[in-house]
């Protein structure tokens, strides 16, 4: 899809995409580079980021792509990344909180939080907070949180947010769903607290990436691989992030959840609970301050 006049007004606009070295994030980076953005991809490995920058330059013929080292499982790394971004750029037009992990056994982040909650949600919560001054410096900033249809199965268990109840009580799919519900609640609360920023979230579709091949048991990885022929191509997974980044239809729209067809959908009942959104925000502030 092409939005009229976008090239002329977009030449200097900057987008930061977490998890931009692989999967949906890299596909989104490619489309936005093709549309004339200055693209910063964030990730946890310099080698992978360098390789992705080279690939994106090769595929698009554009050199306006850079990388930012940011391990979302470490608050220290997130702070360093935000500081570095602030030194390199005076404003941020679009932040796409895309990075994600799926694991079916209990793992902890560098800061001791359950890994999926830490990477998929808490690291993005902190990164977004730290980048708010740069977003507020942009004339029409947007924040896009990549959630999932899995959020419909999610609950927020404040007694076990960070894996406190140990491996016996751990269910990887439930923890993933919780982290994705947290993405939707975060979006809602962001929109309430920062109404000038258009913050929305999305489900990208079931997309042919390696997410469930990286940190899972062999049988789960095998199942994911067998299912791949029936998944959407990776580039299609970029459709909704790109739509939320570029479309004039999203102007003035905030706190909403979109599906892979770019339709605004009602998220789960829990995701629409304003008190839960507020409580999660307050608990998250305490968690990121603890480290
Ligand atoms: N694929 C699907 O069907 C699907 C469906 C619904 C929602 N989603 C969501 O879509 C988003 C993108 O996932 P994907 O399918 O494109 O998976 P992917 O190909 O594995 O990409 C995930 C990205 O996140 C990065 N990442 C992982 N841990 C990180 C950390 N600690 N710090 C910084 N970056 C980290 C990965 O880096 P490495 O390359 O170093 O691992 C990678 O760049 C996720 O939020 C996921 O939950 C995907």
């Amino acid at each position: 899809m092409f939005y009229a006049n976008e090239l002329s007004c977009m030449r200097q606009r900057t987008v930061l995409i977490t998890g931009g070295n692989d999967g949906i994030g890299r596909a989104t980076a490619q489309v936005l580079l093709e549309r004339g953005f200055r693209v910063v991809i964030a990730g946890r490995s310099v080698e992978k980021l360098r390789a992705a920058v080279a690939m994106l330059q090769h595929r698009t013929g554009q050199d306006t792509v850079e990388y930012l080292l940011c391990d979302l499982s470490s608050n220290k790394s997130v702070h360093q990344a935000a500081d570095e971004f602030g030194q390199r750029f005076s404003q941020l037009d679009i932040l796409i909180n895309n990075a994600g992990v799926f694991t079916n056994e209990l793992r902890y982040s560098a800061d001791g939080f359950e890994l999926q909650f830490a990477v998929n949600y808490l690291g993005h919560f902190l990164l977004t907070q730290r980048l708010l001054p740069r977003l507020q410096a942009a004339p029409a900033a947007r924040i896009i949180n990549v959630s999932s249809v899995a959020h419909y199965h999610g609950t927020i268990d404040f007694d076990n947010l960070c894996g406190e109840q140990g491996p016996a009580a751990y269910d990887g799919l439930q923890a993933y769903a919780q982290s994705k519900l947290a993405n939707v609640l975060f979006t809602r609360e962001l929109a309430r607290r920062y109404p000038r920023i258009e913050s929305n979230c999305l489900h990208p579709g079931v997309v042919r990436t390696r997410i469930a091949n990286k940190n899972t048991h062999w049988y789960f990885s095998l199942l994911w691989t067998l299912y791949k022929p029936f998944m959407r191509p990776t580039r299609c997974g970029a459709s909704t992030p790109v739509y939320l980044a570029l479309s004039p239809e999203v102007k003035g729209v905030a706190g909403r959840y979109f599906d892979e067809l770019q339709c605004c959908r009602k998220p789960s009942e829990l995701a629409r609970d304003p008190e839960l959104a507020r409580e999660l925000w307050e608990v998250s502030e305490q968690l990121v301050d603890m480290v």
Side-chain angles (χ1 to χ4, degrees), residues 19 21 24 44 48 71-72 98 100 176 180 205 207 209 214:
N21 64 279
I24 295 165
R44 59 181 164 164
K48 289 182 194 174
D71 182 347
L72 288 152
N98 159 82
Y176 180 75
K180 293 288 140 183
V207 182
T209 69
K214 293 179 178 176

Side-chain angles (χ1 to χ4, degrees), residues 42-282:
R44 59 181 164 164
S45 150
V46 171
E47 290 72 31
K48 289 182 194 174
L49 286 164
R50 284 197 182 128
V53 164
M55 179 189 285
L56 288 165
Q57 287 173 336
H58 177 72
R59 286 188 178 171
T60 64
Q62 304 290 331
D63 61 2
T64 54
V65 53
E66 310 174 33
Y67 70 79
L68 181 72
L69 187 61
C70 179
D71 182 347
L72 288 152
S73 74
S74 154
N75 278 9
K76 186 174 168 205
S77 174
V78 173
H79 280 296
Q80 284 170 347
D83 288 343
E84 190 183 331
F85 187 91
Q87 284 156 15
R88 281 162 55 185
F89 301 96
S90 60
Q91 63 185 48
L92 175 58
D93 297 279
I94 300 172
L95 170 61
I96 305 184
N97 288 321
N98 159 82
V101 284
F102 172 70
T103 171
N104 44 16
E105 72 180 4
L106 178 57
R107 295 177 190 209
Y108 292 98
S109 72
D111 299 322
F113 302 128
E114 189 277 321
L115 190 67
Q116 299 189 82
F117 184 73
V119 173
N120 300 357
Y121 166 67
L122 198 60
H124 285 120
F125 174 83
L126 178 60
L127 182 68
T128 306
Q129 302 268 359
R130 289 291 324 275
L131 293 174
L132 276 171
R134 289 293 181 267
L135 286 157
Q136 286 163 325
R142 289 183 177 182
I143 299 173
I144 297 156
N145 294 319
V146 179
S147 177
S148 167
V149 73
H151 90 271
Y152 285 104
H153 305 290
T155 54
I156 301 289
D157 181 356
F158 286 106
D159 295 327
N160 193 25
L161 265 191
C162 305
E164 295 92 327
Q165 290 174 16
Y170 191 72
D171 175 340
L173 284 168
Q174 189 56 38
Y176 180 75
Q178 174 173 258
S179 72
K180 293 288 140 183
L181 173 60
N183 293 151
V184 186
L185 289 163
F186 177 43
T187 305
R188 184 186 177 100
E189 189 64 5
L190 264 175
R192 190 183 72 78
R193 291 180 184 239
Y194 301 97
R196 278 191 55 241
I197 300 176
E198 286 150 1
S199 301
N200 291 292
C201 63
L202 67 102
H203 166 61
V206 180
V207 182
R208 204 175 299 139
T209 69
R210 294 187 347 82
I211 188 164
N213 298 123
K214 293 179 178 176
N215 298 290
T216 48
H217 295 142
W218 68 267
Y219 52 85
F220 200 99
S221 177
L222 179 63
L223 274 179
W224 181 256
T225 301
L226 291 173
Y227 190 50
K228 277 186 181 174
F230 307 101
M231 297 181 189
R232 307 178 82 209
T234 314
R235 197 173 166 92
C236 292
S239 304
T240 308
V242 168
Y243 169 78
L244 292 179
L246 299 186
S247 174
E249 291 166 14
V250 185
K251 196 166 169 46
V253 176
R256 302 289 178 190
Y257 169 78
F258 291 77
D259 70 7
E260 72 268 38
L261 300 174
Q262 295 92 59
C263 292
C264 185
R265 297 280 181 211
K266 201 186 254 192
S268 71
E269 198 176 335
L270 284 177
R272 288 180 274 127
D273 180 342
E275 282 311 314
L276 186 60
R278 202 186 303 248
E279 189 178 356
L280 179 63
W281 183 287
E282 285 164 7

